[in-house]
Structures are given as C-alpha cells and as structure tokens.
Amino acid sequence: MSNELNHSMSLAKPEANNLSIKQKIAVLLGVIGLFILTLALLNTQFPNKGLFLSISLGLITVGTIIFAHDAYLTKLEGIKNDGVWFKSMSSRGILGWVTGIVLTGFYIVLYFYPQFLGQGQNGEANTGLISLFDPLSILLSGNPASQWFVYGTLYTVAILIFGYKFMLKYRHNRYQQLRTGSVMFFQLGFAFLIPEFMSRLNESPDYNLPYYDLKSMWPLNYYLFDGWSINGLLSSGNLGLMMLLFGIASIFVISPFLTYKYGKRWYCSWVCGCGGLAETAGDSFRHLSSKKLSAWKLERWLIHTVLVFSVVMTTAMIYTYLGKDPNKFWLTRSTFLLGVGILLTLVFVITMVFKRNELDKDARYGAIGYFVVIAALFIMHYTGTSDKIFLIKSSALRSAYGLYIGSIFSGVIGTGFYPILGNRVWCRFGCPMAAILGFQQRMFSKFRITTNGGQCISCGNCSTYCEMGIDVRAYAQKGENIVRSSCVGCGICAAVCPRGVLKLENGSMEGRINPNEILLGNDVDLMDLVNQK
Amino acid sequence: MEHIVIIGNGISGVTAARHIRKLSDKKITIISAETEYFFSRTALMYIYMGHMNFEHTQPYENWFWEKNRINLKKGFVETINTNTKTLHFADNDKLNYDKLIIATGSKPNKFGWPGQDLNGVMGMYHKQDLDNLEKFAPNNQMCKRAVIVGGGLIGIELAEMLNSRNIPVTFLVRESSFWNGVLPDGESEMINRHIKNHHIDLRLSSNLKEIKPDENGNVKSVIIEETGEEIICNVVGLTAGVSPNIDFIKNSNIETDKGVKVNRFLETNIPDIYAVGDCAEQHEPIGQRRPIEAVWYTGRMMGETVAQTICGNRIAYKPGHWFNSAKFFDIEYQTYGWVHGSKGKPDYEQHFHWKHNDDTKCITVAYHKDTNTFLGINTLGIRMRHETFDTWLTEKRDVDYVMDHLSEANFDPEFYKTFESEIYSAYKNQFQTA
Ligand SMILES: Cc1cc2nc3c(=O)[nH]c(=O)nc-3n(C[C@H](O)[C@H](O)[C@H](O)COP(=O)(O)OP(=O)(O)OC[C@H]3O[C@@H](n4cnc5c(N)ncnc54)[C@H](O)[C@@H]3O)c2cc1C
Ligand code: SF4
Ligand code: SF4
C-alpha cells in the first residue's frame, strides 16, 4: 500500500524530490539550450551558426553542471539514491515515458529519415539541425556535417557532462571516478576527435581511410570487414595497413589478454562508447533492468543469436571479398572458410573438454545447437552446389544485420528505451561483442566479485542497482562469488551495498566459482559437512 | 508425510524451510501474519527512502515457493495446543503439525510511556510500521518534526529515513554517547559528530517522559524527562530496542521467559517444538553471546542448524566467531570477534584505536592485555574481509601479527586509498611513547 502512496504520480509526494531553486534554474538553462536545437530543427536560420551552436551546447553543459553541484556537493559524500523510485523520470513515470518516446523518435529519424534533420540530399547543402553543426565539423575535419557528425557530437557531449555529474555523485569512490574518466577520455579522443582528424588525412590523395574508431572492435564495428572499409584501409598506405592489423590484433590478442586479466569490464565499462553512454547519461535508469529469471533466459538466447548472426554475416562478407586464385593472394575463399571452421571447432572443443561441468544445461544445448547451424553452412558450401548461398546472401545478410541489429536494436531500442527498460538493454540482450567477452569472462578470466563471508543481509540494493539485471543478492546471500558472463564490472553493486559485502577482484582461477550452502560464521563442522557434499 | 509447520516467514523460518527442503521431502508450511512473501526486514528503510520498491526487498521471486513445494499461509496464530498438535488462528482456522518451528521474531519495546499508543507513535519493525510511517510522515508538510526515542541501530536508521525526506528529526538517546553500550568511546563519539553533520538534533543523556496528544488523539509533542523541555512534533518513533514477539505463546505449555526457552539443540521443553531467530532464548548464553540474539545472521544460522536436527541429523547450535555490521548514515561499520564499549569491557581487554583526520574512518583493535592475543576489531569507514579475521581468530594470532598483516584483510574497492601503513606506524608509536 505504501508503494501506491509513494508513486511518482501521487499527490502526497515526498518533499525531498522537489527541485531546489538552483536546480530549477539549471533545468531552465538546459531547456533553453535544447530549445535552440529544436529551433534549428524547425529550420530557423541563425545568423551565426557557430555562435548559436556554442551557446546551445554551452547552456546544456552549464545547466547540467549547476544541477549536479546542487544535487551532490550540498550533501555529505555517500550513496545518493534517495527518492530514485519516487521521481517521475527514473521510475517510469510520465517524464520517463515522454523522454523514452522522444529519444526513440530521434533515433528513428536519425537512422531512417536524416533529411528531416536537414541532411543535404544529393550533394546539396545541409539545412536545419545538421547545418547548425557545419561550422564545428568544418573546423575539425574540413567537411560539412552529416547526421552522424551531429549524433557523434551530441553523444560525446552527453558522455562528458553526465560523466562529470556521475563523478560528483560518486566522489567518495575512486573506482567509479577513474572508470568514468576513462570512458570520457576514450569517447572524446578515440570515437570523436581521431576519426575527424583521420578524415583530414583523406584530403591527400594517398589516403582513403574509412571512419574508424580504433577502440571499437569487431563484432561491434561489424562494418570493419565490409569491402569498402578494407579497400579504404588497404589503399591508405602503411597507416591503413597498420590500422587493419590493429583491428585484427584487438580481436585475437589484445582483447583476450585483457579479458583474461581483468574481465570484460576493461572494455564494457572503461572503454566502450555504448557502455560509456549507459554509465553516464544512462546512470539514472540503471535500476530499471529486469532481474527476473525469465529475463535472464531471454538474454542468453537473444545475445547468442545475435552473435551467431554476426559471425555468419562477417564470414560471408569476407568470403565474398576474397578471390579464388591462390596465386594472386594466399588467403582464398576456401582457406578462409576452412580457417574459420577450424577456429570455431577449436573453441568449441576446448570449452567442452575443460569447462563442461561449469556450463549449465541450456548453455550447453545452446552451444551445441549453434555449432550445428554453423557447421551446416559450411557443409552446404563444401558439397559444392550451393557456392551461391554465401554469394547471394552476403550483401542481403549485411544489410539485414545493419538494419535490425546495428540500427534498430542498438540505437532505437538500446538507447531510446533507457527510461523504460534500463540503460544496458543493448549490452545485455544484443551486443555480440559482449557475448564474446562474456563467454571468455565466464570461462577463462581471473575476474570475479567476491562476497564477504556471511555479512550479507539480503537487502537487495545490489540486485536493484545492477544495470545488467544480475540478481547479485542471490549469490551474495549464499556467500558465493559472482562469476557471470554478463557482468560489466561497473562496480555499482559493491558501491551501494550497505554492509561492505562485495568486492570486484582479479585473482586466481582456482576456487573462483564457489557454490555454498552454509555461510561463514556458523558452526565450522556443520559448514564442512554441508558444503563438502 | 511428516508435516513441518513454521510460524514466521522471516530469515530464520525461511532458512529453516529452505534447508529442510534440500534435505528431505517433508511437507512444509510457513505461516505469517505480516506479508504474503518473505522480504528482508533489514531493507525496510530503503523503501521509505525511495532506493527500492517493496518487491525489491523480496529475496526470492514469487514462483520460488511453489516450485520448492513450500506452502505459504497468511494468518495470525492465536494459540498453540501442544497436546493435539494444533494451531488455532485468529480467523478460527486450524492447522495440525507434526513438528513446529517457532520463528516469530521480535516486536518493538514500549516501556509504558504516557501517550505511547497515540496516532503517529510507532515502532520500526514490521511492514505495517512502514505503512504507518508513510501515512503520518509522507513529507515535511504533513510531518513538521519527528522525535526518535532510543539510540540503537534501528533508531539511527529511522533518523536517516526521515532525513531523506527533509523532515527535521530530534533524536533522544538515553546514553551519554550514541550506542556506547556497544561501541568504544572513540567510535561512538565519531558517530555523534556524523549524526550532527546530517543536521539531526541529537540529544544525548535524554529520556522520554511522556507524549502529549492534541484534541484528535494525534501526537502533539513530547516532554523530555531530564529538562522538562517540550518538543512539538507530529511523529514519534519508538526504537528503544526489541523483545521476542511471543505473547500468544505465554499461556501454552511451552516454557518461556523473555523469549521461548531453548536448549543448545534449539529444542523447547515440548518434544517436536523448536524455536529459532529473534524469539529464541538460550538457557545458558553461548560464550560471550547474549541469551537472545536479535540479529539477521544468527537467525539464519539457527535456521540452518535446526533444519539438520529436524531431518534426522541432530546437531547443536554452535555459532563460530562473532561478527556483525551496520551503517550509520554514510559510515559503514563492521565487527569481527569481540570489542567492548567502556561499560562492559572485561579487565583483560586492551584497545588500540586509530582515527583518520577526515573523521569518517577509524578502527579499534582489542587484544588480551597479558597474552597479546587478538580478540577482535571494529572498523568504521573501512571494509574488512570476514574470512581473514575468522581465520586469525581461529588461529589465535597475536595482535602484532594482525597489525602487521592488516592489509591482507582489506576489502575496500579497488583504487581506494589504503591506511594500513599509517595505522601500523601509529600502532608502533603508541608503544614507544607508552
Ligand atoms: C529496521 C531494521 C533493521 C535491521 N537491520 C539489521 C542489520 O542490519 N543487521 C542485522 O543483523 N539485523 C538487523 N535487524 C534485525 C533483523 O532484521 C532480525 O534479527 C531478523 O529479521 C529476525 O528474523 P526472524 O526470522 O527471527 O524474525 P522476523 O523477521 O521478525 O519474522 C517473524 C515473522 O513472524 C510473524 N509472526 C509473529 N507472530 C506471529 C503469529 N502469532 N502468527 C503469525 N505470524 C506471526 C511476524 O509477523 C514476522 O513476519 C534489523 C531489524 C529491523 C527492524
Ligand atoms: S554485478 Fe555488479 S559490477 Fe557486475 S554489472 Fe552488475 S552491478 Fe555492475
Ligand atoms: S547489497 Fe549487500 S547486503 Fe544487500 S543483498 Fe546485496 S550483497 Fe547483500
């Protein structure tokens, strides 16, 4: 009953959630900034675009900073979750829904109707919102803006300003501060500035570099192996070749090594741009993720399906790109397919042999099922008649993947639904990169979240604030370490735990997974008796 | 099939049920008058503060109970007939049992203060207390000030709750310093300052004399015993400790005193009836523990133990080394082993105390004056590893060893500043100057 009373739409709303005067001013500034963008969208012609763009982004930034200062610096250091479930914005109230709908609408327009944003068609000059960003784009890369430049700029600004807010919120927690500083750095440098400067290089005829965010790895940047991308890199001299090699090394060397040592968090909550946005702008929505067992089941099916899709699609793309004649280039279509087949089989066999006991039932069925699918594709190819299967389908596969996964899933649903489904919908249900890193984290990594003996009081803060929807408490209250493929190592569960039960650690693989029945603190003989069984 | 009936769906009753299910196929029924499903009482505060909704405090999803064949029955047990092995409910329903576990928990203490039953006076123990608080103190327009009586762990949580909605709080503490019956002086005084930093009107050495009503039977004010001062308020929180919730058992054949009397096997004087958790009272205290242990962990451990006994492996309740934890506003508290406040401190117990300059972190290490054996540690603002201290206590390490290896026990998040070397040199210096 009390919950009804507390609900955000209730009239007897807790006073604490009303905005202070300063916060109201801050919101007003931000809204003015957004209003300028809206005017531009409606094709208002600003006399000095550079100035108005600066004013707009400046007001949004200043508004957020003032708001954050008033919200956090006026209080003592500590956990700042008061009223989270009372606020309309963060408890799926009216504000949350409106924001969700506006964001979703923005993504649909961005991906499918850029002309509404003012994207110049067929070489015409930009108008509307996109033209407002022309001065900045010309300053950085020398070219007029595109819808992607506008998106990239807003995305980066969001990570920077909400990152700052997040750092104030967790000013007592160095892990949170360093992690946030890191995503802010990688977004600004690697995702935003370096690609713009790279396109400066393209002004010289020696370079033909595609857009390449160096920190973004296959399968996240599934377009890396598109023909145009490979051609671009290969026709850009040593720099291009090195970038391609770096891309391949990230997949096969750098990422497995770092994931082994630190878990997938090194990427998902320290480097990745999708994670960066989720952790900063999405922080106010982290508790909205579903913790139900049924959601976990859905997650496992969905994310692995996307992974299989992306593997098949990429294989097909590279296959199409390659030639048949071994005298021209050593890597031919058949050697490539054989290579992929051997690699997948190796991973499969090693996992099944060494880690069979750690996989629970449906994970094993899933692995077997998917292995059969991939194998079938290869068999079809080698039986000869269906040489066309990959040939015909590769481009169709590629555009289907780009549409359904790259645009609709990761953008429209992944970010647009932040205020409804939580901030990591894409990372949890869709990201194939997360699936690969997660698989390795579960099987071959030193990372775990240690639980502190018998100290858990089952309060549920950890589970509630886990953005990946992991029921952390289910482990903690059994004194069992948390070793889950989906854990992005954000560390928030450990931060919000009022009893100091959780610690993110890298340690020995021995005893990392420790199923428990009776917790530390009880009779030692009883613990031995029950837990040894 | 043997029918095991458990009165009380708190941590002790539910743990017993879960373990009985693991060990056997017996029929299990859990009864509660409070809520349909098990929830974490320790999380009540976070609902009022808006950190969580009520559902988030339920450690198991609703399907869990049916899947594990644990029957849930909502109802209030009024009498127990131990001869016919029958429970009689307030709504005249009946239920037979073969074995009965009493796990009815606690209720807030009321010491007969005038006005203690007025509208707006409440304890903070049951879900109903929370609903009541929501009714009388939804915001600082409806509740202009609240007075909390009793400076224990629940009192300070209630202060934090009201504070989160900007409701001014006066906090009456009987002792001369917050919780100093348990905390050593250095720690207790640090918490006093922290409470005041949160703008709580903390009144030490202050007792409640009476609560005064307005013309509608609502709270109007409280009077302080020592000074006679009247404090105008709309809500009074009574948090002066808890006692076993066993009134309905008093007129049965089951032996009770403050709680339900049990032996080391958690058996009552009547065969096939057991008691666990907050409501159980040991005939003889175990070690330095109290005969009634009203904390979460001991309830869970008793549940784990009694399940073995009921399933044919009769074993005694033999808890390991004492540990506990709490949070005072923003400062986390952990304790391992025994560290006493100045009142109950045995002669042989010597303390080393270190406090950080920022006044939010300190530790107290207790050791034996003559043998130097490490006895226990309290930490405020620094997380420590349960397992490490449990091992050191078992190994009976001396205090020098513990101080030297303190960093092995650190459980703070990665990249946190550590203080072990500072603590160690303070520890060494103390002996050079002494
Ligand atoms: C606000 C608060 C914070 C706390 N924080 C901590 C903490 O941080 N750490 C810690 O260690 N401990 C803490 N405690 C104490 C801890 O919660 C208790 O020790 C523990 O919950 C006791 O569990 P239990 O199973 O014995 O009883 P309870 O949880 O009290 O469960 C007993 C149940 O039995 C029901 N019942 C009683 N009589 C009848 C009847 N006649 N018929 C039907 N049903 C009946 C009651 O309604 C209740 O639902 C806290 C307590 C409170 C109130
Ligand atoms: S389990 Fe903890 S660290 Fe992992 S994702 Fe969830 S909240 Fe973050
Ligand atoms: S937040 Fe901490 S105490 Fe609460 S359930 Fe999680 S691990 Fe346990």
Side-chain angles (χ1 to χ4, degrees):
Chain A
M1 248 179 301
S2 67
N3 293 321
E4 228 83 309
L5 212 68
N6 300 349
H7 197 270
S8 41
M9 288 177 227
S10 142
L11 294 173
K13 168 164 78 130
E15 166 73 10
N17 308 309
N18 290 346
L19 299 181
S20 72
I21 303 279
K22 261 196 191 163
Q23 289 174 346
K24 282 182 184 150
I25 295 174
V27 170
L28 185 70
L29 292 180
V31 169
I32 296 175
L34 285 173
F35 187 62
I36 295 178
L37 295 182
T38 317
L39 285 180
L41 185 66
L42 299 174
N43 244 329
T44 310
Q45 286 306 317
F46 289 106
N48 182 339
K49 295 204 163 87
L51 181 67
F52 273 88
L53 178 65
S54 315
I55 294 178
S56 163
L57 297 183
L59 284 175
I60 294 173
T61 307
V62 171
T64 312
I65 291 176
I66 295 179
F67 191 97
H69 277 234
D70 196 65
Y72 304 129
L73 294 185
T74 55
K75 302 195 178 114
L76 299 183
E77 293 176 12
I79 295 304
K80 298 278 172 279
N81 287 335
D82 288 352
V84 162
W85 285 98
F86 303 146
K87 292 177 193 151
S88 178
M89 181 62 122
S90 57
S91 65
R92 297 193 194 101
I94 291 173
L95 269 183
W97 277 98
V98 169
T99 312
I101 291 168
V102 169
L103 274 176
T104 311
F106 172 74
Y107 273 94
I108 292 175
V109 172
L110 177 76
Y111 281 112
F112 305 111
Y113 306 101
Q115 65 275 20
F116 293 159
L117 297 177
Q119 176 72 28
Q121 308 283 320
N122 313 321
E124 285 167 35
N126 293 326
T127 55
L129 181 64
I130 295 185
S131 70
L132 189 68
F133 285 73
D134 279 341
L136 180 62
S137 179
I138 290 170
L139 180 75
L140 291 172
S141 69
N143 303 317
S146 67
Q147 90 248 43
W148 301 122
F149 180 79
V150 172
Y151 178 51
T153 310
L154 293 177
Y155 198 103
T156 307
V157 168
I159 289 189
L160 292 179
I161 61 180
F162 287 107
Y164 177 76
K165 174 168 177 275
F166 188 84
M167 284 169 120
L168 293 190
K169 182 174 176 185
Y170 283 101
R171 69 188 200 277
H172 60 290
N173 191 318
R174 291 248 329 260
Y175 182 77
Q176 298 305 333
Q177 297 210 316
L178 290 173
R179 183 170 76 72
T180 308
S182 170
V183 291
M184 288 160 78
F185 167 79
F186 279 104
Q187 176 62 30
L188 181 64
F190 281 57
F192 187 65
L193 292 179
I194 294 181
E196 293 303 324
F197 296 147
M198 267 161 44
S199 76
R200 278 260 168 202
L201 283 180
N202 287 347
E203 284 169 10
S204 128
D206 297 340
Y207 290 102
N208 183 22
L209 293 168
Y211 170 87
Y212 189 10
D213 170 1
L214 284 172
K215 71 175 171 38
S216 189
M217 251 181 262
W218 181 88
L220 204 51
N221 66 350
Y222 52 91
Y223 42 80
L224 178 66
F225 297 108
D226 284 3
W228 56 268
S229 164
I230 301 187
N231 282 336
L233 288 169
L234 290 181
S235 60
S236 299
N238 282 338
L239 182 65
L241 186 65
M242 266 165 53
M243 282 165 55
L244 184 60
L245 289 178
F246 178 77
I248 294 170
S250 340
I251 306 165
F252 291 108
V253 183
I254 301 176
S255 161
F257 175 72
L258 290 175
T259 309
Y260 169 69
K261 282 201 74 128
Y262 306 112
K264 83 195 226 190
R265 57 183 170 150
W266 79 267
Y267 193 73
C268 295
S269 65
W270 284 74
V271 172
C272 178
C274 305
L277 192 71
E279 294 291 347
T280 52
D283 173 60
S284 318
F285 310 111
R286 61 171 60 249
H287 51 284
L288 299 175
S289 61
S290 169
K291 277 79 190 178
K292 291 197 180 131
L293 195 65
S294 50
W296 185 16
K297 280 203 180 121
L298 176 70
E299 164 193 322
R300 278 181 289 185
W301 281 105
L302 219 48
I303 194 170
H304 293 111
T305 309
V306 174
L307 177 61
V308 169
F309 191 179
S310 85
V311 170
V312 172
M313 186 271 292
T314 308
T315 313
M317 290 302 291
I318 299 180
Y319 178 83
T320 322
Y321 182 80
L322 293 170
K324 283 188 180 148
D325 185 356
N327 298 323
K328 282 200 195 133
F329 187 57
W330 63 270
L331 188 61
T332 62
R333 290 179 172 188
S334 10
T335 12
F336 171 68
L337 277 194
L338 198 63
V340 174
I342 291 174
L343 186 72
L344 288 179
T345 315
L346 267 180
V347 172
F348 185 79
V349 169
I350 291 177
T351 314
M352 280 299 155
V353 170
F354 290 103
K355 298 282 170 173
R356 196 179 22 209
N357 301 334
E358 289 178 18
L359 288 166
D360 47 30
K361 238 195 261 154
D362 49 354
R364 219 176 327 170
Y365 287 133
I368 293 171
Y370 288 137
F371 186 77
V372 170
V373 175
I374 293 174
L377 285 174
F378 286 108
I379 292 166
M380 273 194 276
H381 171 66
Y382 281 113
T383 47
T385 50
S386 45
D387 186 38
K388 293 250 158 50
I389 284 188
F390 267 160
L391 270 180
I392 295 172
K393 290 218 169 144
S394 72
S395 60
L397 269 181
R398 166 65 178 78
S399 35
Y401 188 87
L403 176 67
Y404 293 112
I405 310 297
S407 311
I408 297 184
F409 206 154
S410 84
V412 180
I413 300 179
T415 312
F417 286 22
Y418 268 14
I420 308 303
L421 299 176
N423 58 336
R424 286 269 193 181
V425 179
W426 159 249
C427 313
R428 182 182 177 194
F429 294 102
C431 177
M433 175 86 186
I436 296 182
L437 295 178
F439 176 76
Q440 196 196 333
Q441 167 160 290
R442 179 76 178 68
M443 295 296 146
F444 308 101
S445 168
K446 294 157 105 50
F447 173 70
R448 91 290 312 274
I449 303 177
T450 310
T451 50
N452 201 5
Q455 287 280 24
C456 176
I457 52 169
S458 300
C459 69
N461 275 293
C462 52
S463 297
T464 305
Y465 285 88
C466 175
E467 55 193 351
M468 297 304 283
I470 298 173
D471 191 358
V472 183
R473 166 175 57 193
Y475 301 83
Q477 66 189 359
K478 290 195 278 177
E480 189 175 327
N481 291 345
I482 293 105
V483 180
R484 276 279 292 269
S485 46
S486 61
C487 170
V488 292
C490 65
I492 295 296
C493 53
V496 297
C497 173
R499 295 294 177 270
V501 177
L502 306 163
K503 179 173 164 74
L504 283 65
E505 284 187 297
N506 316 304
S508 147
M509 299 228 342
E510 188 99 359
R512 190 171 72 120
I513 300 175
N514 59 340
N516 241 352
E517 291 301 340
I518 296 219
L519 283 81
L520 185 59
N522 208 339
D523 181 3
V524 274
D525 301 327
L526 178 62
M527 280 168 56
D528 284 347
L529 173 80
V530 176
N531 293 335
Q532 301 312 308
K533 260 188 210 160
Chain B
M1 205 178 351
E2 198 175 33
H3 190 190
I4 313 292
V5 174
I6 302 168
I7 312 179
N9 68 348
I11 178 67
S12 54
V14 162
T15 307
R18 278 180 40 241
H19 282 269
I20 294 172
R21 174 50 70 240
K22 263 183 205 135
L23 295 167
S24 77
D25 232 12
K26 297 178 200 295
K27 181 175 173 193
I28 305 173
T29 304
I30 304 183
I31 298 164
S32 169
E34 188 180 9
T35 53
E36 210 163 331
Y37 299 104
F38 170 49
F39 74 100
S40 175
R41 193 171 301 295
T42 54
L44 277 178
M45 64 182 296
Y46 299 107
I47 303 172
Y48 181 83
M49 289 166 71
H51 295 205
M52 288 191 273
N53 284 331
F54 180 67
E55 306 80 72
H56 297 118
T57 67
Q58 296 177 174
Y60 303 96
E61 284 186 60
N62 294 349
W63 49 257
F64 175 88
W65 308 100
E66 206 186 312
K67 183 173 171 241
N68 288 290
R69 289 170 293 123
I70 296 173
N71 304 315
L72 304 178
K73 176 169 169 61
K74 198 161 182 217
F76 185 79
V77 180
E78 242 171 17
T79 46
I80 305 176
N81 186 333
T82 52
N83 298 325
T84 58
K85 292 193 165 184
T86 314
L87 304 179
H88 296 267
F89 289 86
D91 60 3
N92 291 327
D93 207 359
K94 281 191 256 176
L95 188 71
N96 289 326
Y97 62 85
D98 296 310
K99 285 190 175 141
L100 179 69
I101 303 177
I102 300 170
T104 52
S106 305
K107 60 181 185 346
N109 285 336
K110 289 185 175 182
F111 292 115
W113 292 293
Q116 66 181 16
D117 295 316
L118 292 168
N119 294 330
V121 182
M122 61 198 73
M124 185 40 64
Y125 189 89
H126 291 107
K127 169 75 162 52
Q128 286 70 20
D129 296 325
L130 187 73
D131 296 342
N132 224 2
L133 185 68
E134 191 65 62
K135 181 168 155 207
F136 287 98
N139 55 40
N140 60 11
Q141 317 284 284
M142 303 264 291
C143 175
K144 304 241 185 285
R145 175 168 293 274
V147 174
I148 298 173
V149 182
L153 295 177
I154 299 180
I156 196 168
E157 285 187 1
L158 185 55
E160 186 178 353
M161 290 160 73
L162 293 158
N163 206 40
S164 77
R165 296 201 187 178
N166 292 339
I167 295 172
V169 174
T170 298
F171 192 9
L172 305 187
V173 174
R174 185 184 54 182
E175 294 75 22
S176 58
S177 179
F178 175 77
W179 215 38
N180 68 356
V182 176
L183 294 180
D185 294 342
E187 296 172 3
S188 163
E189 284 155 18
M190 192 176 110
I191 301 302
N192 290 341
R193 294 187 291 271
H194 188 63
I195 294 172
K196 288 183 186 156
N197 275 340
H198 276 280
H199 311 294
I200 304 290
D201 173 25
L202 174 66
R203 307 288 187 93
L204 299 170
S205 308
S206 301
N207 281 280
L208 172 68
K209 183 167 175 225
E210 65 170 305
I211 307 169
K212 293 198 148 179
D214 67 5
E215 58 282 4
N216 303 320
N218 294 325
V219 172
K220 189 187 84 187
S221 64
V222 302
I223 308 285
I224 295 180
E225 176 88 56
E226 284 73 10
T227 58
E229 185 188 346
E230 177 171 15
I231 299 173
I232 307 292
C233 59
N234 305 99
V235 162
V236 176
L238 300 180
T239 56
V242 297
S243 45
N245 188 9
I246 54 160
D247 291 344
F248 74 106
I249 303 174
K250 295 263 170 176
N251 50 14
S252 73
N253 297 329
I254 304 165
E255 186 190 352
T256 60
D257 182 9
K258 277 201 182 99
V260 179
K261 285 286 198 180
V262 293
N263 62 17
R264 284 295 153 88
F265 295 90
L266 304 167
E267 297 158 339
T268 64
N269 62 320
I270 311 281
D272 293 338
I273 300 187
Y274 307 80
V276 293
D278 279 25
C279 68
E281 181 179 3
Q282 287 283 335
H283 287 289
E284 294 293 327
I286 303 173
Q288 299 189 52
R289 290 168 183 259
R290 295 178 189 174
I292 299 177
E293 300 180 290
V295 288
W296 183 264
Y297 316 105
T298 50
R300 191 188 60 215
M301 294 191 279
M302 290 186 221
E304 290 165 352
T305 311
V306 81
Q308 296 284 335
T309 302
I310 285 189
C311 295
N313 173 30
R314 185 168 182 261
I315 59 169
Y317 171 55
K318 250 187 342 179
H321 301 293
W322 172 255
F323 68 97
N324 198 3
S325 62
K327 192 170 180 185
F328 308 115
F329 284 90
D330 300 314
I331 300 183
E332 286 173 21
Y333 157 73
Q334 296 186 333
T335 183
Y336 302 102
W338 291 110
V339 182
H340 290 91
S342 49
K343 275 180 212 151
K345 195 165 92 174
D347 282 344
Y348 59 79
E349 185 177 316
Q350 192 109 346
H351 286 178
F352 163 72
H353 182 70
W354 169 89
K355 184 168 83 63
H356 189 269
N357 289 334
D358 74 3
D359 209 21
T360 65
K361 301 171 196 76
C362 71
I363 70 166
T364 307
V365 177
Y367 57 95
H368 197 291
K369 191 168 68 184
D370 307 321
T371 63
N372 260 353
T373 315
F374 170 69
L375 300 173
I377 184 169
N378 279 359
T379 68
L380 288 175
I382 301 178
R383 294 178 175 179
M384 294 282 177
R385 216 179 271 270
H386 185 179
E387 205 174 345
T388 311
F389 280 112
D390 198 75
T391 312
W392 288 344
L393 286 165
T394 303
E395 293 170 351
K396 294 198 170 23
R397 292 286 179 180
D398 66 33
V399 62
D400 289 329
Y401 178 90
V402 170
M403 297 309 292
D404 199 14
H405 292 77
L406 204 55
S407 60
E408 289 168 25
N410 188 297
F411 202 70
D412 270 338
E414 295 155 300
F415 303 114
Y416 266 43
K417 204 164 177 296
T418 56
F419 305 100
E420 284 84 16
S421 52
E422 196 181 321
I423 294 172
Y424 190 63
S425 53
Y427 173 72
K428 283 281 160 211
N429 277 338
Q430 153 191 271
F431 291 106
Q432 268 150 23
T433 49

